[in-house]
Amino acid sequence: MSLHNKNILLCITGSISCYKSIDLYRRLKKAGAKVKIIVSDAATKFISPYIFESFGEEVFEDDAFKSPLSHIDLSKFADIILIAPATYNTINKLAAGIADTLITLTVAASPDKPKLLVPAMNPNMYANKILKDNLNKLAKHNFYVVSPETGNAACGDFGEGKFPEIDDIIFGVESVFKKKTLNGRKVLVTAGATREYFDPVRFMSNGSSGKMGISIANAALKAGAEVKLIALNIDDRIQYINRRIKIISRTDFNGLKESLFDEFKKSDILFMAAAVSDYGFKEKSPVKIKKSGNTGAGGTLKVELMQNEDLLKAVSKIKKDGQIVFGFAAETGSAIENGRKKLSEKSLDYIFVNDVSKDIIGGDENEGFLITKAGEVNRFEREKKESLAEKLIEEISFPA
Ligand code: CTP
């Protein structure tokens, strides 16, 4: 994740979750951002501004009268005003246009700057209609929200109101800066590797981790889409997946086929990043196959493989006007030539071809060629799968 050279004004208001903003600050810095901090009076009851000063940061106390023009300077500095945690009191004051502290004054002086709220409070307070109405009102005035999580609040009450994971906040900040090229679009992504079982415990698969597909799903969400991810045997610890992505977990070719055909009808774009097994076992034993009938080490077991249907080709056949199908190709040579062939045989709108002999399967980076239906070829140099996915998403254009 990158926020390279972005100026972030981090405003910390007085919730018990304030201490988490220390971690948030460190992650913003790690992502390359420049940060200035305002700590509200109430927040200083929970954390000391000295923590940030000891990291060498300029920290402003929430005193509107200490330095008369600091709200103007801070507004000019900010590419984004991040209020995390944002209390019930602060959110409602902002919606009422009150400007009686350095934080609220700076927001008042920044109507054109994006403001990202991270509400954190007791679940009953978060469910309060006054707050909900005010959040809706603020949404019309350049305010964005990272919703709180559901769980046990500090007081023990259960519900929505917990300070979210730092990853979700960083994702929210990055999203604010992204062009909403897929606003309102429904995106379906497949990722990971199918498993073909030949008895209840043994299977054939491949080394695809699902990272490219997850990166595409995250990037599509940042571009404003509603995203579903058909996840094939993905270990969800390998990479961050935003919690607004609906995950449909499937295991084998048949499961993938069922969900793919069901979901494709409801989607505007399909990104078929899954590594689908080209072969399945002709027969699957309902019980674990024993080795006892064999002659010992060196004995053989014969199994017959049967070719699976090409799902991408099949799904392209039911494609309606306006739907986009984006395929991926794994090649070990003649990338462009083979990519073109697959694009045409599978009636695709786009195909991204990579040379998998270059440590790409399971790795964090990717490189390759994007080929379009119109025949254009675009080379993408090696880079992190996350940033490459964002570039690929920007390339998508819908037929007029
Ligand atoms: N694909 C599919 N169904 C299959 C095999 C592949 O839908 N049975 C999809 C993949 O998800 C990918 C694209 O087709 O988007 C290309 O997959 P790839 O493995 O590169 O090529 P294949 O078509 O399987 O051809 P080959 O293995 O012969 O290169």
Side-chain angles (χ1 to χ4, degrees):
M1 292 189 181
S2 170
L3 290 170
H4 198 63
N5 281 337
K6 292 284 184 224
N7 289 347
I8 298 179
L9 179 62
L10 174 61
C11 303
I12 304 170
T13 64
S15 139
I16 195 157
S17 59
C18 270
Y19 67 95
K20 296 184 180 172
S21 49
I22 302 167
D23 202 14
L24 172 60
Y25 155 78
R26 299 196 67 170
R27 287 287 306 281
L28 290 168
K29 293 293 282 187
K30 209 172 155 202
K34 289 187 198 142
V35 184
K36 287 190 182 183
I37 300 153
I38 311 177
V39 185
S40 81
D41 274 352
T44 59
K45 306 276 187 296
F46 296 100
I47 53 165
S48 162
Y50 185 67
I51 296 170
F52 302 104
E53 279 161 2
S54 56
F55 286 120
E57 296 301 340
E58 204 174 352
V59 184
F60 295 81
E61 285 171 43
D62 204 359
D63 183 343
F65 301 99
K66 210 165 186 178
S67 164
L69 288 177
S70 46
H71 60 293
I72 307 296
D73 294 338
L74 287 167
S75 168
K76 283 185 183 148
F77 159 82
D79 292 322
I80 183 170
I81 301 177
L82 171 61
I83 308 180
T87 59
Y88 180 92
N89 188 42
T90 301
I91 294 169
N92 291 328
K93 269 164 73 171
L94 291 173
I98 294 172
D100 61 346
T101 60
L102 186 57
I103 291 175
T104 50
L105 262 172
T106 309
V107 171
S110 314
D112 298 332
K113 300 282 172 91
K115 278 105 20 199
L116 181 62
L117 301 169
V118 184
M121 62 197 74
N122 167 278
N124 291 331
M125 291 168 78
Y126 188 65
N128 192 317
K129 192 82 175 41
I130 295 172
L131 183 92
K132 290 281 146 78
D133 287 349
N134 280 334
L135 284 172
N136 286 336
K137 181 177 174 188
L138 290 169
K140 295 182 203 129
H141 300 283
N142 230 347
F143 282 80
Y144 303 84
V145 174
V146 177
S147 317
E149 274 183 26
T150 300
N152 278 101
C155 57
D157 285 355
F158 183 84
E160 198 179 4
K162 267 175 76 106
F163 193 82
E165 292 294 321
I166 304 295
D167 275 337
D168 288 336
I169 303 173
I170 303 279
F171 189 93
V173 175
E174 289 180 335
S175 297
V176 168
F177 293 116
K178 286 281 158 216
K179 279 198 217 125
K180 299 291 171 251
T181 52
L182 297 182
N183 225 355
R185 301 286 187 181
K186 291 190 166 67
V187 168
L188 178 64
V189 184
T190 68
T194 51
R195 286 180 182 175
E196 295 303 300
Y197 281 84
F198 71 98
D199 76 9
V201 293
R202 299 173 177 111
F203 59 83
M204 173 173 70
S205 190
N206 62 71
S208 174
S209 62
K211 285 179 192 165
M212 193 63 212
I214 295 172
S215 300
I216 290 281
N218 281 334
L221 191 71
K222 280 184 192 163
E226 187 188 311
V227 185
K228 290 184 185 170
L229 175 68
I230 303 179
L232 295 150
N233 310 301
I234 289 177
D235 176 351
D236 60 14
R237 290 162 303 182
I238 60 157
Q239 195 178 330
Y240 169 78
I241 306 176
N242 188 275
R243 63 193 150 109
R244 283 189 290 139
I245 294 172
K246 185 175 178 224
I247 297 179
I248 302 162
S249 294
R250 302 309 306 238
T251 307
D252 60 8
F253 175 86
N254 289 328
L256 167 63
K257 180 176 174 180
E258 188 182 61
S259 293
L260 178 65
F261 276 85
D262 188 26
E263 293 298 336
F264 180 68
K265 290 180 269 181
K266 303 177 239 168
S267 308
D268 298 308
I269 316 178
L270 165 67
F271 290 92
M272 189 76 177
V276 188
S277 181
D278 285 330
Y279 294 92
F281 292 96
K282 198 165 173 194
E283 277 163 30
K284 180 181 162 185
S285 168
V287 292
K288 187 181 170 212
I289 296 171
K290 290 291 187 192
K291 66 175 186 291
S292 51
N294 223 318
T295 50
T300 56
L301 171 72
K302 275 196 183 138
V303 286
E304 251 187 299
L305 298 178
M306 199 176 67
Q307 195 170 323
N308 280 333
E309 183 185 5
D310 190 305
L311 292 179
L312 197 49
K313 197 170 180 175
V315 104
S316 286
K317 288 202 175 115
I318 58 159
K319 187 176 97 160
K320 296 210 183 72
D321 279 355
Q323 271 184 311
I324 288 181
V325 179
F326 189 122
F328 287 79
E331 301 295 340
T332 50
S334 311
I336 298 178
E337 193 186 320
N338 289 334
R340 280 204 170 110
K341 209 163 146 229
K342 282 181 187 171
L343 179 120
S344 131
E345 281 172 4
K346 301 186 192 212
S347 314
L348 306 177
D349 299 284
Y350 300 88
I351 193 162
F352 187 74
V353 201
N354 45 53
D355 183 344
V356 290
S357 58
K358 296 180 176 170
D359 277 347
I360 277 167
I361 293 189
D364 290 335
E365 296 182 336
N366 201 355
E367 66 179 83
F369 301 93
L370 178 68
I371 310 176
T372 70
K373 196 173 161 182
E376 288 160 30
V377 180
N378 216 333
R379 172 158 180 78
F380 288 81
E381 299 299 335
R382 199 174 183 92
E383 64 179 304
K384 290 258 185 263
K385 285 179 176 170
E386 282 109 327
S387 50
L388 174 64
E390 291 183 4
K391 288 183 184 160
L392 293 180
I393 289 290
E394 280 168 19
E395 294 290 321
I396 303 292
S397 66
F398 278 86

